[in-house]
């Protein structure tokens, strides 16, 4: 049998799944991000600490994300727009899922590229039309995958990735969001 090397430690993930079946409290994670206004519509968000497996934890390094709006919105364009970060999250999550599922199914990947497009009528966020929503109208994800697998197997990889994607779930199902002032 050929060894598949997609860089995913599936054995560790499967073992964790079994352990967490008997310890659901350990499976509760709290992800955190802190955003600081920089001026105009520019903000910087950092991600470092999180809670999981029953204790506080940290990523190996802090991640820093700049968000702004393009000059066409009379802004400085010092980062991508916040709504584009949704596309980043969805693309990253689905792509990671494809790699994980492929590893678990013994499919060698040569390349995976996801292209995402979200259509957005900005009249909503500008308050120009109360009947237009503020967010995306729709998002299209197109995968280009080169792998040692049939088209049907590749489509099944993507379907399973979508089924297990936390970001896909958060975007397509209601999520309780609480906004408060301290």
């Amino acid at each position: 049998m050929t060894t598949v090397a997609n860089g995913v430690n599936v054995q560790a993930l499967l073992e964790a799944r079994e352990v967490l079946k008997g310890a659901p409290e350990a499976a509760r994670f709290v992800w955190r991000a802190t955003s600081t206004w920089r001026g105009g519509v520019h903000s910087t968000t950092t991600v470092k600490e999180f809670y999981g497996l029953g204790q506080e934890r940290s990523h190996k390094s802090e991640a820093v994300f700049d968000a702004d709006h393009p000059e066409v919105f009379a802004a400085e364009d010092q980062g991508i727009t916040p709504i584009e970060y949704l596309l980043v999250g969805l693309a990253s999550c689905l792509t990671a899922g494809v790699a994980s599922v492929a590893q678990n199914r013994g499919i060698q990947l040569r390349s995976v590229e996801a292209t995402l497009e979200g259509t957005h009528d900005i009249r909503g966020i500008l308050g120009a039309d109360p009947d237009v929503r503020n967010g995306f109208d729709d998002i299209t994800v197109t995968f280009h995958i080169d792998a040692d697998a049939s088209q049907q197997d590749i489509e099944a990889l993507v379907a399973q990735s979508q089924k297990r994607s936390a970001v896909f779930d958060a975007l397509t199902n209601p999520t309780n969001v609480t906004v408060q002032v301290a």
Side-chain angles (χ1 to χ4, degrees), residues 89-131:
L90 182 59
S92 300
C93 195
L94 290 172
T95 301
V98 166
S100 298
V101 174
Q103 183 73 38
N104 191 42
R105 295 184 180 178
I107 297 172
Q108 181 62 57
L109 298 173
R110 285 185 288 278
S111 66
V112 178
E113 182 176 282
T115 303
L116 285 77
E117 287 188 359
T119 59
H120 184 205
D121 185 338
I122 67 167
R123 291 178 300 161
I125 62 173
L126 294 174
D129 185 337
D131 295 326

Short mmCIF file of all heavy atoms in Angstrom, two decimals, residues 89-131:
data_model
loop_
_atom_site.label_atom_id
_atom_site.label_comp_id
_atom_site.label_asym_id
_atom_site.label_seq_id
_atom_site.Cartn_x
_atom_site.Cartn_y
_atom_site.Cartn_z
N GLY A 89 -11.70 32.82 6.31
CA GLY A 89 -12.01 31.76 7.26
C GLY A 89 -12.65 30.56 6.61
O GLY A 89 -12.28 29.41 6.88
N LEU A 90 -13.60 30.80 5.72
CA LEU A 90 -14.28 29.69 5.04
C LEU A 90 -13.31 28.94 4.14
O LEU A 90 -13.28 27.70 4.16
CB LEU A 90 -15.48 30.23 4.24
CG LEU A 90 -16.31 29.18 3.50
CD1 LEU A 90 -16.88 28.14 4.47
CD2 LEU A 90 -17.42 29.86 2.71
N ALA A 91 -12.51 29.66 3.37
CA ALA A 91 -11.54 29.01 2.48
C ALA A 91 -10.55 28.16 3.27
O ALA A 91 -10.27 27.01 2.92
CB ALA A 91 -10.80 30.06 1.66
N SER A 92 -10.03 28.72 4.36
CA SER A 92 -9.05 28.01 5.17
C SER A 92 -9.64 26.75 5.79
O SER A 92 -9.01 25.69 5.81
CB SER A 92 -8.51 28.92 6.28
OG SER A 92 -7.90 30.05 5.72
N CYS A 93 -10.85 26.87 6.32
CA CYS A 93 -11.48 25.75 7.00
C CYS A 93 -11.81 24.62 6.01
O CYS A 93 -11.52 23.45 6.27
CB CYS A 93 -12.74 26.23 7.71
SG CYS A 93 -13.39 25.07 8.92
N LEU A 94 -12.39 24.97 4.88
CA LEU A 94 -12.73 23.94 3.89
C LEU A 94 -11.48 23.28 3.31
O LEU A 94 -11.45 22.06 3.11
CB LEU A 94 -13.59 24.54 2.77
CG LEU A 94 -15.01 24.93 3.15
CD1 LEU A 94 -15.68 25.67 2.00
CD2 LEU A 94 -15.83 23.71 3.56
N THR A 95 -10.45 24.06 3.06
CA THR A 95 -9.21 23.51 2.51
C THR A 95 -8.54 22.57 3.50
O THR A 95 -8.06 21.48 3.14
CB THR A 95 -8.26 24.65 2.08
OG1 THR A 95 -8.93 25.45 1.11
CG2 THR A 95 -6.98 24.10 1.48
N ALA A 96 -8.50 22.96 4.78
CA ALA A 96 -7.95 22.08 5.81
C ALA A 96 -8.75 20.79 5.88
O ALA A 96 -8.20 19.69 6.06
CB ALA A 96 -7.96 22.79 7.17
N GLY A 97 -10.06 20.91 5.75
CA GLY A 97 -10.91 19.72 5.78
C GLY A 97 -10.63 18.79 4.63
O GLY A 97 -10.60 17.57 4.79
N VAL A 98 -10.43 19.34 3.44
CA VAL A 98 -10.10 18.50 2.28
C VAL A 98 -8.82 17.72 2.54
O VAL A 98 -8.75 16.52 2.29
CB VAL A 98 -9.98 19.36 0.99
CG1 VAL A 98 -9.31 18.58 -0.13
CG2 VAL A 98 -11.35 19.85 0.55
N ALA A 99 -7.80 18.39 3.07
CA ALA A 99 -6.53 17.71 3.36
C ALA A 99 -6.71 16.62 4.40
O ALA A 99 -6.16 15.52 4.27
CB ALA A 99 -5.48 18.73 3.82
N SER A 100 -7.48 16.90 5.44
CA SER A 100 -7.69 15.92 6.50
C SER A 100 -8.46 14.71 6.01
O SER A 100 -8.09 13.56 6.28
CB SER A 100 -8.45 16.56 7.67
OG SER A 100 -7.70 17.61 8.23
N VAL A 101 -9.52 14.96 5.27
CA VAL A 101 -10.34 13.85 4.77
C VAL A 101 -9.54 13.02 3.76
O VAL A 101 -9.59 11.78 3.77
CB VAL A 101 -11.66 14.37 4.15
CG1 VAL A 101 -12.45 13.24 3.50
CG2 VAL A 101 -12.51 15.07 5.22
N ALA A 102 -8.78 13.70 2.91
CA ALA A 102 -7.96 12.97 1.93
C ALA A 102 -6.95 12.08 2.64
O ALA A 102 -6.76 10.91 2.26
CB ALA A 102 -7.24 13.96 1.01
N GLN A 103 -6.30 12.60 3.67
CA GLN A 103 -5.33 11.80 4.43
C GLN A 103 -6.02 10.57 5.02
O GLN A 103 -5.52 9.46 4.92
CB GLN A 103 -4.70 12.64 5.53
CG GLN A 103 -3.63 11.93 6.33
CD GLN A 103 -2.34 11.75 5.56
OE1 GLN A 103 -1.94 12.63 4.81
NE2 GLN A 103 -1.70 10.61 5.70
N ASN A 104 -7.17 10.79 5.63
CA ASN A 104 -7.91 9.69 6.27
C ASN A 104 -8.37 8.65 5.26
O ASN A 104 -8.40 7.46 5.58
CB ASN A 104 -9.11 10.24 7.04
CG ASN A 104 -9.74 9.21 7.94
OD1 ASN A 104 -9.05 8.45 8.61
ND2 ASN A 104 -11.06 9.16 7.95
N ARG A 105 -8.67 9.07 4.06
CA ARG A 105 -9.15 8.14 3.03
C ARG A 105 -8.03 7.59 2.16
O ARG A 105 -8.30 6.86 1.20
CB ARG A 105 -10.22 8.83 2.17
CG ARG A 105 -11.46 9.15 2.97
CD ARG A 105 -12.56 9.75 2.15
NE ARG A 105 -13.73 10.04 3.00
CZ ARG A 105 -14.84 10.60 2.56
NH1 ARG A 105 -14.97 10.93 1.29
NH2 ARG A 105 -15.82 10.83 3.40
N GLY A 106 -6.79 7.96 2.46
CA GLY A 106 -5.66 7.44 1.70
C GLY A 106 -5.53 8.02 0.31
O GLY A 106 -5.03 7.35 -0.60
N ILE A 107 -5.94 9.28 0.14
CA ILE A 107 -5.85 9.95 -1.16
C ILE A 107 -4.71 10.95 -1.12
O ILE A 107 -4.68 11.85 -0.28
CB ILE A 107 -7.18 10.67 -1.50
CG1 ILE A 107 -8.30 9.63 -1.63
CG2 ILE A 107 -7.04 11.51 -2.75
CD1 ILE A 107 -9.69 10.24 -1.78
N GLN A 108 -3.76 10.78 -2.04
CA GLN A 108 -2.63 11.69 -2.12
C GLN A 108 -3.03 12.95 -2.89
O GLN A 108 -3.47 12.87 -4.02
CB GLN A 108 -1.44 11.03 -2.80
CG GLN A 108 -0.20 11.92 -2.89
CD GLN A 108 0.33 12.30 -1.51
OE1 GLN A 108 0.64 11.43 -0.71
NE2 GLN A 108 0.42 13.59 -1.25
N LEU A 109 -2.87 14.09 -2.24
CA LEU A 109 -3.12 15.38 -2.89
C LEU A 109 -1.84 15.89 -3.53
O LEU A 109 -0.76 15.75 -2.95
CB LEU A 109 -3.60 16.40 -1.86
CG LEU A 109 -4.90 16.10 -1.12
CD1 LEU A 109 -5.13 17.12 -0.01
CD2 LEU A 109 -6.07 16.09 -2.09
N ARG A 110 -1.96 16.49 -4.69
CA ARG A 110 -0.83 17.18 -5.31
C ARG A 110 -1.01 18.69 -5.19
O ARG A 110 -0.06 19.41 -4.96
CB ARG A 110 -0.69 16.76 -6.77
CG ARG A 110 -0.09 15.36 -6.93
CD ARG A 110 0.15 15.01 -8.39
NE ARG A 110 -1.09 14.76 -9.10
CZ ARG A 110 -1.76 13.59 -9.08
NH1 ARG A 110 -1.30 12.58 -8.38
NH2 ARG A 110 -2.87 13.45 -9.75
N SER A 111 -2.27 19.14 -5.32
CA SER A 111 -2.55 20.57 -5.14
C SER A 111 -4.04 20.75 -4.82
O SER A 111 -4.88 19.98 -5.27
CB SER A 111 -2.18 21.38 -6.37
OG SER A 111 -3.00 21.04 -7.48
N VAL A 112 -4.30 21.77 -4.01
CA VAL A 112 -5.67 22.14 -3.67
C VAL A 112 -5.73 23.66 -3.69
O VAL A 112 -4.93 24.33 -3.04
CB VAL A 112 -6.08 21.64 -2.26
CG1 VAL A 112 -7.50 22.10 -1.93
CG2 VAL A 112 -5.94 20.14 -2.15
N GLU A 113 -6.66 24.19 -4.44
CA GLU A 113 -6.88 25.63 -4.48
C GLU A 113 -8.38 25.87 -4.42
O GLU A 113 -9.15 25.26 -5.17
CB GLU A 113 -6.31 26.24 -5.75
CG GLU A 113 -6.47 27.74 -5.81
CD GLU A 113 -5.81 28.34 -7.04
OE1 GLU A 113 -4.58 28.48 -7.02
OE2 GLU A 113 -6.54 28.64 -8.00
N ALA A 114 -8.77 26.74 -3.51
CA ALA A 114 -10.17 27.14 -3.42
C ALA A 114 -10.27 28.61 -3.78
O ALA A 114 -9.52 29.44 -3.26
CB ALA A 114 -10.70 26.92 -2.00
N THR A 115 -11.19 28.93 -4.67
CA THR A 115 -11.46 30.31 -5.04
C THR A 115 -12.85 30.64 -4.55
O THR A 115 -13.80 29.90 -4.82
CB THR A 115 -11.38 30.49 -6.57
OG1 THR A 115 -10.09 30.06 -7.02
CG2 THR A 115 -11.61 31.93 -6.97
N LEU A 116 -12.96 31.73 -3.80
CA LEU A 116 -14.25 32.12 -3.23
C LEU A 116 -14.67 33.47 -3.75
O LEU A 116 -13.83 34.37 -3.92
CB LEU A 116 -14.17 32.18 -1.70
CG LEU A 116 -14.13 30.84 -0.98
CD1 LEU A 116 -12.78 30.19 -1.08
CD2 LEU A 116 -14.56 30.99 0.44
N GLU A 117 -15.96 33.60 -3.99
CA GLU A 117 -16.55 34.88 -4.37
C GLU A 117 -17.80 35.08 -3.55
O GLU A 117 -18.64 34.18 -3.46
CB GLU A 117 -16.92 34.91 -5.86
CG GLU A 117 -15.74 35.00 -6.79
CD GLU A 117 -16.16 35.22 -8.23
OE1 GLU A 117 -17.39 35.28 -8.53
OE2 GLU A 117 -15.26 35.35 -9.07
N GLY A 118 -17.90 36.25 -2.94
CA GLY A 118 -19.10 36.60 -2.21
C GLY A 118 -19.71 37.84 -2.83
O GLY A 118 -19.03 38.84 -3.00
N THR A 119 -20.99 37.77 -3.18
CA THR A 119 -21.65 38.95 -3.74
C THR A 119 -22.28 39.74 -2.60
O THR A 119 -22.85 39.17 -1.67
CB THR A 119 -22.71 38.58 -4.79
OG1 THR A 119 -23.68 37.73 -4.20
CG2 THR A 119 -22.07 37.87 -5.98
N HIS A 120 -22.13 41.06 -2.68
CA HIS A 120 -22.47 41.93 -1.56
C HIS A 120 -23.02 43.24 -2.11
O HIS A 120 -22.32 43.97 -2.81
CB HIS A 120 -21.19 42.17 -0.75
CG HIS A 120 -21.37 42.95 0.49
ND1 HIS A 120 -20.35 43.68 1.04
CD2 HIS A 120 -22.43 43.13 1.30
CE1 HIS A 120 -20.77 44.25 2.15
NE2 HIS A 120 -22.03 43.94 2.33
N ASP A 121 -24.26 43.53 -1.80
CA ASP A 121 -24.89 44.81 -2.16
C ASP A 121 -24.64 45.77 -1.00
O ASP A 121 -25.24 45.64 0.06
CB ASP A 121 -26.38 44.60 -2.40
CG ASP A 121 -27.09 45.85 -2.90
OD1 ASP A 121 -26.58 46.97 -2.68
OD2 ASP A 121 -28.18 45.70 -3.48
N ILE A 122 -23.74 46.73 -1.19
CA ILE A 122 -23.33 47.60 -0.08
C ILE A 122 -24.37 48.66 0.29
O ILE A 122 -24.18 49.39 1.26
CB ILE A 122 -21.96 48.26 -0.33
CG1 ILE A 122 -22.02 49.24 -1.48
CG2 ILE A 122 -20.90 47.19 -0.52
CD1 ILE A 122 -20.81 50.15 -1.56
N ARG A 123 -25.48 48.69 -0.44
CA ARG A 123 -26.54 49.63 -0.03
C ARG A 123 -27.04 49.31 1.37
O ARG A 123 -27.45 50.20 2.10
CB ARG A 123 -27.70 49.60 -1.03
CG ARG A 123 -27.35 50.19 -2.38
CD ARG A 123 -28.50 50.10 -3.35
NE ARG A 123 -28.87 48.69 -3.53
CZ ARG A 123 -30.04 48.27 -4.01
NH1 ARG A 123 -30.98 49.15 -4.33
NH2 ARG A 123 -30.30 46.99 -4.15
N GLY A 124 -26.95 48.05 1.77
CA GLY A 124 -27.38 47.66 3.11
C GLY A 124 -26.55 48.32 4.19
O GLY A 124 -27.08 48.96 5.10
N ILE A 125 -25.21 48.19 4.11
CA ILE A 125 -24.35 48.76 5.15
C ILE A 125 -24.34 50.28 5.12
O ILE A 125 -24.06 50.92 6.13
CB ILE A 125 -22.91 48.20 5.12
CG1 ILE A 125 -22.20 48.54 3.81
CG2 ILE A 125 -22.90 46.71 5.37
CD1 ILE A 125 -20.73 48.17 3.77
N LEU A 126 -24.67 50.86 3.97
CA LEU A 126 -24.72 52.32 3.86
C LEU A 126 -26.07 52.89 4.30
O LEU A 126 -26.23 54.11 4.39
CB LEU A 126 -24.41 52.76 2.42
CG LEU A 126 -22.99 52.48 1.92
CD1 LEU A 126 -22.87 52.82 0.44
CD2 LEU A 126 -21.97 53.24 2.75
N GLY A 127 -27.02 52.00 4.56
CA GLY A 127 -28.35 52.47 4.95
C GLY A 127 -29.13 53.08 3.80
O GLY A 127 -30.08 53.82 4.02
N ALA A 128 -28.73 52.78 2.58
CA ALA A 128 -29.37 53.37 1.40
C ALA A 128 -30.69 52.68 1.05
O ALA A 128 -31.54 53.27 0.39
CB ALA A 128 -28.42 53.32 0.20
N ASP A 129 -30.84 51.43 1.48
CA ASP A 129 -32.08 50.69 1.19
C ASP A 129 -32.33 49.74 2.35
O ASP A 129 -31.58 48.78 2.56
CB ASP A 129 -31.93 49.91 -0.12
CG ASP A 129 -33.22 49.21 -0.56
OD1 ASP A 129 -34.09 48.94 0.31
OD2 ASP A 129 -33.34 48.91 -1.76
N PRO A 130 -33.38 49.97 3.13
CA PRO A 130 -33.64 49.13 4.30
C PRO A 130 -34.00 47.69 3.96
O PRO A 130 -33.97 46.83 4.83
CB PRO A 130 -34.81 49.85 4.99
CG PRO A 130 -35.47 50.64 3.92
CD PRO A 130 -34.39 51.02 2.95
N ASP A 131 -34.31 47.40 2.70
CA ASP A 131 -34.65 46.04 2.30
C ASP A 131 -33.44 45.22 1.87
O ASP A 131 -33.56 44.04 1.54
CB ASP A 131 -35.68 46.06 1.17
CG ASP A 131 -37.01 46.66 1.62
OD1 ASP A 131 -37.37 46.47 2.80
OD2 ASP A 131 -37.66 47.34 0.80
#
